[in-house]
């Protein structure tokens, strides 16, 4: 697919791009929400210091400060987000432009629409957990 108003490069389908953008947006929101929640109970650092950390470093920082289920789910999402961000473009077996990724173990897989939908759903779950932890 081409959208020459944006670029002459081939692009994934519009739906895939919407899911990809939504995935990045909800994760970014939750990354900030994690920081907001930890700052409510820990004044030993600042928003500025935490926002400059990678999400993996934020996850390590909040261990022992936020409930384990929140930290575990955030860690899982950091790993999934890394697979999305550090992916590479492919033409899949259906002839569609998508992203694939390679784990450190060497396992490679396609970032499918289902993967993106699962990621978005897990971010919704994390957001709900953070709202509950915050008290509303």
């Amino acid at each position: 697919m081409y959208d020459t108003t944006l670029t002459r490069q081939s692009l994934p389908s519009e739906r895939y791009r919407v899911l990809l953008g939504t995935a990045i947006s909800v994760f970014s929101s939750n990354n900030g929400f994690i920081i907001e929640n930890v700052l409510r109970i820990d004044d030993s650092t600042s928003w500025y210091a935490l926002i400059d950390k990678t999400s993996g470093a934020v996850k390590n920082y909040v261990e022992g400060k936020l409930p384990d289920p929140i930290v575990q789910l955030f860690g899982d999402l950091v790993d999934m987000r890394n697979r999305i961000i550090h992916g590479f473009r492919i033409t899949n077996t259906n002839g569609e432009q998508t992203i694939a990724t390679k784990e450190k173990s060497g396992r490679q897989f396609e970032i499918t629409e289902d993967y993106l939908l699962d990621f978005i759903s897990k971010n919704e779950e994390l957001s709900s957990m953070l709202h509950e932890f915050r008290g509303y």
Side-chain angles (χ1 to χ4, degrees):
M1 173 183 181
Y2 297 91
D3 183 345
T4 56
T5 62
L6 296 174
T7 181
R8 293 183 316 218
Q9 294 176 292
S10 63
L11 296 170
S13 71
E14 185 173 358
R15 174 171 168 76
Y16 191 89
R17 288 182 286 144
V18 166
L19 290 173
L20 190 57
T22 301
I24 300 302
S25 184
V26 296
F27 181 84
S28 178
S29 177
N30 275 337
N31 192 72
F33 203 7
I34 286 278
I35 291 170
E36 176 188 323
N37 272 277
V38 79
L39 289 175
R40 286 183 56 247
I41 59 172
D42 175 16
D43 62 1
S44 67
T45 191
S46 71
W47 178 88
Y48 297 97
L50 291 176
I51 204 68
D52 284 342
K53 291 183 180 297
T54 65
S55 297
V58 169
K59 184 248 182 201
N60 291 339
Y61 182 82
V62 301
E63 284 180 340
K65 295 177 172 66
L66 295 178
D68 287 342
I70 290 175
V71 174
Q72 179 63 50
L73 182 53
F74 183 61
D76 292 346
L77 289 168
V78 168
D79 291 342
M80 290 180 78
R81 189 283 317 254
N82 287 347
R83 298 296 25 100
I84 295 167
I85 295 299
H86 300 294
F88 49 91
R89 283 280 303 280
I90 64 164
T91 303
N92 69 15
T93 57
N94 296 326
E96 301 162 329
Q97 297 294 307
T98 62
I99 295 172
T101 192
K102 183 179 86 58
E103 296 176 323
K104 289 181 181 178
S105 68
R107 182 176 83 98
Q108 296 182 37
F109 62 92
E110 181 180 351
I111 303 294
T112 63
E113 287 186 9
D114 286 341
Y115 185 95
L116 294 170
L117 287 166
D118 183 47
F119 181 76
I120 292 164
S121 176
K122 287 178 178 176
N123 269 280
E124 179 66 22
E125 181 183 346
L126 178 61
S127 178
S128 294
M129 293 168 73
L130 290 167
H131 276 285
E132 184 177 327
F133 178 74
R134 186 169 69 175
Y136 61 92

